Amino acid sequence: MDLLTGLLDHAATGSALDIVIAAEASSASELLERADRLAERLTQGVPVAVRASATLDTVIAVVAALRAGAPLVPIADDSGVGERGHIIRDSGARAVLGEHGWPDVDLPVIAERSGAVTPVDGIAPLDASLIVYTSGTTGPPKGVLLPESSIAACLDGLRDAWGWTPDDRLVHGLPLFHVHGLVLGVIGALRVGCSLVHTGRPTPEAYAAAQGSLYFGVPTVWLRLVADTASAEALRSARLLVSGSAPLPVAVFERLGELTGTAPVERYGMTETLITVSTRADGERRPGHVGLALPGVETRLRGDDGEIIAPDGETIGSLEVRGPTLGDGYLGRPEVTAACMTADGWFLTGDSAVIGVDGFHRIVGRTSLDVIKTGGFKVGAGEIEAAIAGHPGVVEAAVVGLPDDDLGERIVAFVVGDVVEDDLIALVGATLSSHKRPREIRRVEALPRNALGKVQKAQLRDS
Ligand code: MLC
Ligand code: AMP
């Protein structure tokens, strides 16, 4: 199977396909030619990392890895030393693709113009197109194995749901190290064969200037857009605005519809399952709802008593999903993978939801307070707490997500100890990555604990 069918068609016929990544443009044939030169230096099944900045080089590396069958590990360009060290070790990546590596990462850098090849000694080949790292409740991020078949099923389902065609011009400015910007926003465009404009940053002005037919954004992006009336009105010529990765507030849904003349389409997914539920472009767009299961995907709710809940539009349960978009679990963690799945293949999402008799889904929240969604990024409280504990002045700390008008949730650290707040924020940035920095540090005398000594995060969240 080849994922990039749209790109290959355009390259074969020479038909026009604009690929513009932060103002660097390429045609289909040029992109393919450059990627194939790089692919010659990669080996099927041997993982390689990419410093995933919003550049054409990153897109060339993505195409090269997919063409070579080398599992690609996208790492945030601004990742801190601890986080990237963990991802490189855990994934077994043998090289870094792109013009620059990192000074602390001792791997060959394979660039288009460099002669290096991936070392292949002593490695058991992996069958995955991507290994995407995602945060859990505790511990460092885990690598999700995403095979070609899951990516294809997800993108083909979205193509059907959104009426996504080669005539579209996709615009977004999302990071290229997560599913939203990378799988949907790059591989999606190259599979469908539509033009792609990556705006570098997802600002209202850049979205307005790009004149797309199809736009992707996380809720923070849409919220900032509706606050800029002139930019929002410039999207009136767009066919479809898609929101995902976090809950879109109903007020933003409505304002976006008023200003652009197009009610947004919402979809729901996870790194582990890819996108499983979406509103259809030709169907009802209901505020606060993420739509219907994609073709071939099944969903169900489980109550606290362990019983399956029949869809009734009001009973909340834990959402479980099954189908062809699901990934192959966590790399090197069979016990964690098994704990997230039923024996017959349902993935336990950790999200609470309601399903209507008409099949419409509403995501109500997450079951764990230790998972924070900030600006559409999933961040585990535990990894930030561990980074903060590295500061010599910290006695103890607890991290929670507090409601935030702009980011959905903002990361707040409650800290006992003698620390300068900016130093702690900088420490997290240097260890993990920029978006994992607490926006606020609150110094406290003690953390609230229950009789068993467990920190009461609900109390902190409500304080
Ligand atoms: C941030 N800043 C800080 C700070 N935190 N400075 C000091 N201390 C802190 N604690 C800085 C930022 O770096 C930025 O600096 C400036 O403050 C303004 O920040 P901001 O504008 O509020 O946020 P920003 O960092 O720009 O990010 C907003 C955003 C971003 C929406 C652009 O959150 C984003 O790209 N989100 C997308 C996440 C995503 O793609 N998720 C998909 C996951 S996949 P400066 O100097 O840089 O301006 C998934 C599956 C699915 O979920 O369903 O899709
Ligand atoms: P990630 O691990 O970054 O892939 O994030 C997946 C999580 O994002 C899901 O488990 C949900 O909690 C959340 N999410 C994704 N899309 C939506 C949406 N449309 N509405 C609400 N939450 C969402």
Side-chain angles (χ1 to χ4, degrees):
M1 186 200 292
D2 208 317
L3 272 179
L4 307 175
T5 43
L7 174 69
L8 297 179
D9 287 350
H10 279 286
T13 60
S15 52
L17 176 73
D18 291 339
I19 297 152
V20 183
I21 312 294
E24 267 185 292
S26 172
S27 67
S29 44
E30 189 194 348
L31 171 60
L32 198 59
E33 215 176 282
R34 293 178 65 182
D36 279 349
R37 267 205 302 273
L38 193 55
E40 279 169 20
R41 254 113 20 81
L42 311 182
T43 304
Q44 185 167 5
V46 179
V48 284
V50 63
R51 238 186 120 144
S53 51
T55 57
L56 189 58
D57 275 342
T58 298
V59 173
I60 291 169
V62 171
V63 174
L66 291 174
R67 298 276 289 163
L72 186 73
V73 186
I75 303 182
D77 188 39
D78 67 358
S79 61
V81 176
E83 184 167 298
R84 65 176 168 256
H86 160 72
I87 295 176
I88 296 277
R89 277 190 306 278
D90 189 76
S91 65
R94 291 305 175 95
V96 180
L97 303 189
E99 294 297 327
H100 313 283
W102 286 279
D104 49 289
V105 172
D106 186 20
L107 288 178
V109 176
I110 304 186
E112 243 182 295
R113 282 169 290 274
S114 81
V117 294
T118 338
V120 295
D121 49 301
I123 189 159
L126 277 176
D127 184 14
S129 292
L130 299 174
I131 306 173
V132 181
Y133 277 76
T134 189
S135 300
T137 49
T138 57
K142 301 183 285 290
V144 177
L145 293 161
L146 295 172
E148 197 170 58
S149 58
S150 307
I151 298 172
C154 166
L155 294 175
D156 293 348
L158 294 178
R159 173 156 50 183
D160 174 67
W162 299 343
W164 191 358
T165 74
D167 293 334
D168 274 310
R169 177 177 167 88
L170 171 63
V171 175
H172 73 93
L174 298 167
L176 301 187
F177 50 89
H178 279 310
V179 159
H180 198 161
L182 176 60
V183 175
L184 277 56
V186 173
I187 302 174
L190 300 179
R191 182 163 181 81
V192 170
C194 75
S195 291
L196 166 64
V197 178
H198 191 289
T199 57
R201 300 268 301 164
T203 60
E205 302 77 18
Y207 273 37
Q211 291 293 299
S213 65
L214 172 62
Y215 282 82
F216 293 167
V218 296
T220 301
V221 168
W222 299 124
L223 197 138
R224 292 178 185 182
L225 182 79
V226 298
D228 175 348
T229 310
S231 293
E233 285 176 343
L235 267 59
R236 288 196 88 84
S237 52
R239 182 179 74 76
L240 208 63
L241 313 179
V242 184
S243 182
S245 304
L248 183 69
V250 169
V252 178
F253 177 105
E254 281 166 355
R255 190 72 184 129
L256 201 50
E258 282 163 23
L259 291 173
T260 65
T262 310
V265 155
E266 292 180 67
R267 93 298 178 283
Y268 160 85
M270 291 184 80
T271 306
E272 292 87 336
T273 65
L274 298 179
I275 309 307
T276 47
V277 178
S278 180
T279 304
R280 293 188 60 85
D282 58 4
E284 186 195 352
R285 303 180 193 180
R286 201 182 298 169
H289 289 73
V290 293
L292 306 166
L294 287 183
V297 173
E298 300 169 90
T299 61
R300 69 184 185 189
L301 299 178
R302 195 182 288 278
D304 290 342
D305 57 4
E307 296 299 315
I308 299 300
I309 300 169
D312 63 3
E314 54 187 55
T315 310
I316 297 174
S318 300
L319 180 64
E320 302 180 359
V321 298
R322 180 165 78 170
T325 67
L326 267 58
D328 282 343
Y330 302 110
L331 173 65
R333 291 176 172 78
E335 69 301 339
V336 184
T337 304
C340 297
M341 303 285 298
T342 65
D344 54 349
W346 291 86
F347 182 83
L348 317 181
T349 64
D351 288 308
S352 305
V354 171
I355 305 178
V357 282
D358 55 3
F360 256 66
H361 293 65
R362 180 159 67 86
I363 307 299
V364 179
R366 286 200 61 87
T367 45
S368 170
L369 285 181
D370 284 321
V371 174
I372 301 166
K373 262 272 162 166
T374 180
F377 286 113
K378 183 157 121 172
V379 182
E383 56 181 317
I384 306 178
E385 287 158 1
I388 289 177
H391 188 290
V394 170
V395 177
E396 57 175 353
V399 169
V400 292
L402 295 191
D404 188 274
D405 287 344
D406 180 43
L407 298 168
E409 287 185 306
R410 69 177 183 284
I411 301 170
V412 178
F414 291 80
V415 177
V416 180
D418 183 19
V419 290
V420 175
E421 286 151 26
D422 285 351
D423 290 353
L424 260 195
I425 291 171
L427 173 69
V428 176
T431 313
L432 303 175
S433 49
S434 294
H435 65 271
K436 296 185 177 176
R437 291 175 296 182
R439 300 266 164 166
E440 202 186 317
I441 305 282
R442 293 199 193 163
R443 302 267 299 275
V444 289
E445 291 296 317
L447 297 176
R449 291 182 184 276
N450 65 11
L452 298 172
K454 190 170 161 32
V455 176
Q456 300 296 87
K457 291 214 169 172
Q459 229 173 351
L460 289 175
R461 199 195 42 189
D462 298 339
S463 63

Short mmCIF file of all heavy atoms in Angstrom, two decimals, residues 34-65:
data_model
loop_
_atom_site.label_atom_id
_atom_site.label_comp_id
_atom_site.label_asym_id
_atom_site.label_seq_id
_atom_site.Cartn_x
_atom_site.Cartn_y
_atom_site.Cartn_z
N ARG A 34 13.10 15.17 -4.15
CA ARG A 34 13.98 15.44 -3.02
C ARG A 34 13.80 14.38 -1.93
O ARG A 34 14.76 13.91 -1.32
CB ARG A 34 13.71 16.84 -2.47
CG ARG A 34 14.09 17.93 -3.46
CD ARG A 34 13.77 19.31 -2.94
NE ARG A 34 14.57 19.65 -1.78
CZ ARG A 34 14.44 20.80 -1.11
NH1 ARG A 34 13.56 21.71 -1.49
NH2 ARG A 34 15.20 21.06 -0.07
N ALA A 35 12.55 13.98 -1.69
CA ALA A 35 12.29 12.97 -0.66
C ALA A 35 12.91 11.63 -1.07
O ALA A 35 13.48 10.92 -0.24
CB ALA A 35 10.79 12.83 -0.43
N ASP A 36 12.80 11.30 -2.33
CA ASP A 36 13.33 10.00 -2.77
C ASP A 36 14.85 9.95 -2.68
O ASP A 36 15.44 8.89 -2.41
CB ASP A 36 12.82 9.66 -4.18
CG ASP A 36 11.40 9.09 -4.12
OD1 ASP A 36 10.93 8.78 -3.00
OD2 ASP A 36 10.75 8.97 -5.17
N ARG A 37 15.49 11.09 -2.88
CA ARG A 37 16.97 11.14 -2.69
C ARG A 37 17.32 10.82 -1.24
O ARG A 37 18.26 10.11 -0.95
CB ARG A 37 17.50 12.53 -3.05
CG ARG A 37 17.96 12.65 -4.49
CD ARG A 37 19.00 13.76 -4.67
NE ARG A 37 18.52 15.06 -4.25
CZ ARG A 37 17.85 15.91 -5.02
NH1 ARG A 37 17.59 15.58 -6.27
NH2 ARG A 37 17.47 17.09 -4.56
N LEU A 38 16.52 11.36 -0.33
CA LEU A 38 16.76 11.12 1.10
C LEU A 38 16.39 9.67 1.46
O LEU A 38 17.09 9.00 2.23
CB LEU A 38 15.90 12.10 1.89
CG LEU A 38 16.16 12.29 3.37
CD1 LEU A 38 17.61 12.67 3.63
CD2 LEU A 38 15.24 13.39 3.92
N ALA A 39 15.31 9.18 0.87
CA ALA A 39 14.82 7.83 1.18
C ALA A 39 15.85 6.76 0.85
O ALA A 39 15.92 5.71 1.51
CB ALA A 39 13.51 7.55 0.42
N GLU A 40 16.69 7.04 -0.15
CA GLU A 40 17.72 6.06 -0.52
C GLU A 40 18.66 5.77 0.63
O GLU A 40 19.31 4.73 0.67
CB GLU A 40 18.56 6.61 -1.69
CG GLU A 40 17.90 6.44 -3.02
CD GLU A 40 18.64 7.24 -4.10
OE1 GLU A 40 19.83 7.58 -3.89
OE2 GLU A 40 18.00 7.50 -5.12
N ARG A 41 18.77 6.71 1.57
CA ARG A 41 19.71 6.56 2.68
C ARG A 41 19.05 5.96 3.92
O ARG A 41 19.67 5.83 4.97
CB ARG A 41 20.33 7.92 3.00
CG ARG A 41 21.72 7.98 2.55
CD ARG A 41 22.20 8.88 1.44
NE ARG A 41 21.54 10.04 0.97
CZ ARG A 41 21.57 11.23 1.52
NH1 ARG A 41 22.17 11.43 2.65
NH2 ARG A 41 21.00 12.24 0.92
N LEU A 42 17.77 5.60 3.83
CA LEU A 42 17.04 5.04 4.97
C LEU A 42 16.81 3.56 4.74
O LEU A 42 16.91 3.07 3.60
CB LEU A 42 15.70 5.75 5.15
CG LEU A 42 15.76 7.29 5.13
CD1 LEU A 42 14.37 7.87 5.35
CD2 LEU A 42 16.73 7.79 6.19
N THR A 43 16.47 2.84 5.81
CA THR A 43 16.26 1.40 5.69
C THR A 43 14.87 1.05 6.24
O THR A 43 14.49 1.53 7.31
CB THR A 43 17.32 0.64 6.51
OG1 THR A 43 18.60 1.06 6.05
CG2 THR A 43 17.19 -0.86 6.35
N GLN A 44 14.18 0.21 5.49
CA GLN A 44 12.84 -0.21 5.90
C GLN A 44 12.87 -0.79 7.31
O GLN A 44 13.73 -1.62 7.63
CB GLN A 44 12.32 -1.26 4.92
CG GLN A 44 10.90 -1.65 5.22
CD GLN A 44 10.28 -2.44 4.08
OE1 GLN A 44 10.95 -2.77 3.11
NE2 GLN A 44 9.01 -2.73 4.20
N GLY A 45 11.97 -0.34 8.15
CA GLY A 45 11.83 -0.91 9.50
C GLY A 45 12.77 -0.32 10.53
O GLY A 45 12.64 -0.61 11.72
N VAL A 46 13.71 0.54 10.11
CA VAL A 46 14.68 1.12 11.06
C VAL A 46 14.24 2.56 11.38
O VAL A 46 14.23 3.42 10.50
CB VAL A 46 16.10 1.10 10.47
CG1 VAL A 46 17.08 1.75 11.45
CG2 VAL A 46 16.52 -0.33 10.16
N PRO A 47 13.88 2.82 12.66
CA PRO A 47 13.32 4.13 12.99
C PRO A 47 14.32 5.28 12.86
O PRO A 47 15.50 5.11 13.18
CB PRO A 47 12.90 3.99 14.47
CG PRO A 47 13.19 2.61 14.88
CD PRO A 47 13.93 1.90 13.80
N VAL A 48 13.79 6.40 12.40
CA VAL A 48 14.59 7.63 12.32
C VAL A 48 13.76 8.77 12.91
O VAL A 48 12.54 8.79 12.77
CB VAL A 48 14.97 7.97 10.86
CG1 VAL A 48 16.09 7.08 10.38
CG2 VAL A 48 13.77 7.88 9.93
N ALA A 49 14.45 9.71 13.57
CA ALA A 49 13.73 10.84 14.16
C ALA A 49 13.79 12.03 13.21
O ALA A 49 14.65 12.09 12.32
CB ALA A 49 14.39 11.21 15.48
N VAL A 50 12.85 12.94 13.38
CA VAL A 50 12.95 14.20 12.64
C VAL A 50 12.70 15.34 13.61
O VAL A 50 11.84 15.25 14.49
CB VAL A 50 11.98 14.27 11.44
CG1 VAL A 50 10.52 14.20 11.86
CG2 VAL A 50 12.22 15.53 10.63
N ARG A 51 13.50 16.40 13.46
CA ARG A 51 13.29 17.62 14.22
C ARG A 51 12.14 18.34 13.55
O ARG A 51 12.32 18.99 12.52
CB ARG A 51 14.55 18.48 14.10
CG ARG A 51 15.18 18.80 15.39
CD ARG A 51 16.32 19.74 15.20
NE ARG A 51 16.01 20.94 15.97
CZ ARG A 51 16.91 21.64 16.61
NH1 ARG A 51 18.17 21.31 16.56
NH2 ARG A 51 16.55 22.69 17.30
N ALA A 52 10.95 18.16 14.10
CA ALA A 52 9.74 18.54 13.36
C ALA A 52 9.40 20.02 13.53
O ALA A 52 8.52 20.38 14.29
CB ALA A 52 8.57 17.66 13.80
N SER A 53 10.11 20.84 12.78
CA SER A 53 9.74 22.26 12.73
C SER A 53 8.80 22.45 11.55
O SER A 53 8.65 21.56 10.71
CB SER A 53 11.00 23.10 12.55
OG SER A 53 11.73 22.60 11.45
N ALA A 54 8.19 23.62 11.47
CA ALA A 54 7.27 23.88 10.35
C ALA A 54 8.09 24.34 9.15
O ALA A 54 8.15 25.52 8.82
CB ALA A 54 6.27 24.94 10.76
N THR A 55 8.75 23.38 8.50
CA THR A 55 9.60 23.70 7.35
C THR A 55 9.36 22.67 6.24
O THR A 55 8.88 21.56 6.50
CB THR A 55 11.10 23.62 7.72
OG1 THR A 55 11.34 22.29 8.24
CG2 THR A 55 11.48 24.65 8.77
N LEU A 56 9.77 23.05 5.04
CA LEU A 56 9.67 22.11 3.92
C LEU A 56 10.59 20.91 4.17
O LEU A 56 10.26 19.78 3.80
CB LEU A 56 10.05 22.84 2.62
CG LEU A 56 9.81 22.09 1.32
CD1 LEU A 56 8.35 21.70 1.16
CD2 LEU A 56 10.25 22.94 0.13
N ASP A 57 11.72 21.13 4.83
CA ASP A 57 12.64 20.03 5.15
C ASP A 57 11.93 18.95 5.96
O ASP A 57 12.17 17.75 5.76
CB ASP A 57 13.83 20.54 5.98
CG ASP A 57 14.92 21.09 5.08
OD1 ASP A 57 14.91 20.76 3.88
OD2 ASP A 57 15.77 21.84 5.58
N THR A 58 11.09 19.37 6.90
CA THR A 58 10.36 18.38 7.71
C THR A 58 9.41 17.57 6.82
O THR A 58 9.33 16.35 6.93
CB THR A 58 9.58 19.08 8.84
OG1 THR A 58 10.52 19.74 9.68
CG2 THR A 58 8.78 18.09 9.66
N VAL A 59 8.72 18.26 5.92
CA VAL A 59 7.78 17.54 5.04
C VAL A 59 8.55 16.60 4.12
O VAL A 59 8.12 15.46 3.87
CB VAL A 59 6.91 18.55 4.25
CG1 VAL A 59 6.04 17.85 3.21
CG2 VAL A 59 6.04 19.35 5.23
N ILE A 60 9.70 17.02 3.64
CA ILE A 60 10.53 16.14 2.80
C ILE A 60 10.94 14.91 3.62
O ILE A 60 10.89 13.77 3.13
CB ILE A 60 11.78 16.90 2.28
CG1 ILE A 60 11.33 17.96 1.26
CG2 ILE A 60 12.81 15.96 1.68
CD1 ILE A 60 12.40 18.96 0.88
N ALA A 61 11.31 15.11 4.88
CA ALA A 61 11.71 13.98 5.73
C ALA A 61 10.52 13.03 5.96
O ALA A 61 10.69 11.80 5.94
CB ALA A 61 12.21 14.50 7.08
N VAL A 62 9.33 13.58 6.14
CA VAL A 62 8.13 12.74 6.34
C VAL A 62 7.90 11.88 5.10
O VAL A 62 7.71 10.66 5.18
CB VAL A 62 6.89 13.63 6.62
CG1 VAL A 62 5.60 12.81 6.61
CG2 VAL A 62 7.04 14.39 7.94
N VAL A 63 7.96 12.52 3.94
CA VAL A 63 7.71 11.78 2.68
C VAL A 63 8.81 10.73 2.48
O VAL A 63 8.54 9.58 2.12
CB VAL A 63 7.62 12.75 1.49
CG1 VAL A 63 7.52 11.99 0.17
CG2 VAL A 63 6.42 13.69 1.66
N ALA A 64 10.05 11.11 2.78
CA ALA A 64 11.17 10.17 2.60
C ALA A 64 10.99 8.94 3.47
O ALA A 64 11.15 7.80 3.02
CB ALA A 64 12.48 10.88 2.94
N ALA A 65 10.65 9.16 4.74
CA ALA A 65 10.51 8.03 5.67
C ALA A 65 9.36 7.13 5.23
O ALA A 65 9.47 5.90 5.25
CB ALA A 65 10.29 8.55 7.09
#
